[in-house]
PDB file of all heavy atoms in Angstrom:
ATOM      1  N   ALA B  67     -66.787 -41.311 -27.710  1.00  0.00           N
ATOM      2  CA  ALA B  67     -67.067 -41.684 -29.135  1.00  0.00           C
ATOM      3  C   ALA B  67     -68.563 -41.682 -29.349  1.00  0.00           C
ATOM      4  O   ALA B  67     -69.361 -41.801 -28.418  1.00  0.00           O
ATOM      5  CB  ALA B  67     -66.482 -43.098 -29.423  1.00  0.00           C
ATOM      6  N   ARG B 149     -79.511 -59.332 -16.666  1.00  0.00           N
ATOM      7  CA  ARG B 149     -79.437 -60.133 -15.441  1.00  0.00           C
ATOM      8  C   ARG B 149     -78.080 -60.897 -15.307  1.00  0.00           C
ATOM      9  O   ARG B 149     -77.551 -61.013 -14.215  1.00  0.00           O
ATOM     10  CB  ARG B 149     -80.622 -61.125 -15.376  1.00  0.00           C
ATOM     11  CG  ARG B 149     -80.900 -61.753 -14.071  1.00  0.00           C
ATOM     12  CD  ARG B 149     -82.037 -62.757 -14.179  1.00  0.00           C
ATOM     13  NE  ARG B 149     -83.344 -62.132 -14.360  1.00  0.00           N
ATOM     14  CZ  ARG B 149     -84.395 -62.844 -14.836  1.00  0.00           C
ATOM     15  NH1 ARG B 149     -84.337 -64.111 -15.101  1.00  0.00           N
ATOM     16  NH2 ARG B 149     -85.526 -62.198 -14.965  1.00  0.00           N
ATOM     17  N   SER B 152     -72.307 -58.495 -15.380  1.00  0.00           N
ATOM     18  CA  SER B 152     -71.744 -58.008 -14.195  1.00  0.00           C
ATOM     19  C   SER B 152     -71.691 -56.496 -14.146  1.00  0.00           C
ATOM     20  O   SER B 152     -71.300 -55.877 -13.213  1.00  0.00           O
ATOM     21  CB  SER B 152     -70.299 -58.547 -13.999  1.00  0.00           C
ATOM     22  OG  SER B 152     -69.502 -58.225 -15.125  1.00  0.00           O
ATOM     23  N   ASN B 329    -106.743 -20.668 -12.349  1.00  0.00           N
ATOM     24  CA  ASN B 329    -107.729 -19.751 -11.812  1.00  0.00           C
ATOM     25  C   ASN B 329    -107.883 -19.787 -10.308  1.00  0.00           C
ATOM     26  O   ASN B 329    -108.728 -19.099  -9.741  1.00  0.00           O
ATOM     27  CB  ASN B 329    -109.098 -20.099 -12.443  1.00  0.00           C
ATOM     28  CG  ASN B 329    -109.110 -19.854 -13.979  1.00  0.00           C
ATOM     29  OD1 ASN B 329    -108.455 -18.919 -14.409  1.00  0.00           O
ATOM     30  ND2 ASN B 329    -109.726 -20.756 -14.675  1.00  0.00           N
ATOM     31  N   LEU B 342     -88.224 -17.683  -2.258  1.00  0.00           N
ATOM     32  CA  LEU B 342     -88.345 -17.661  -3.709  1.00  0.00           C
ATOM     33  C   LEU B 342     -89.439 -16.725  -4.151  1.00  0.00           C
ATOM     34  O   LEU B 342     -89.263 -15.993  -5.128  1.00  0.00           O
ATOM     35  CB  LEU B 342     -88.649 -19.094  -4.272  1.00  0.00           C
ATOM     36  CG  LEU B 342     -87.437 -20.064  -4.208  1.00  0.00           C
ATOM     37  CD1 LEU B 342     -87.939 -21.462  -4.614  1.00  0.00           C
ATOM     38  CD2 LEU B 342     -86.387 -19.596  -5.189  1.00  0.00           C
TER      39      LEU B 342
END
Side-chain angles (χ1 to χ4, degrees):
Chain B
R149 194 184 289 164
S152 57
N329 296 321
L342 285 172

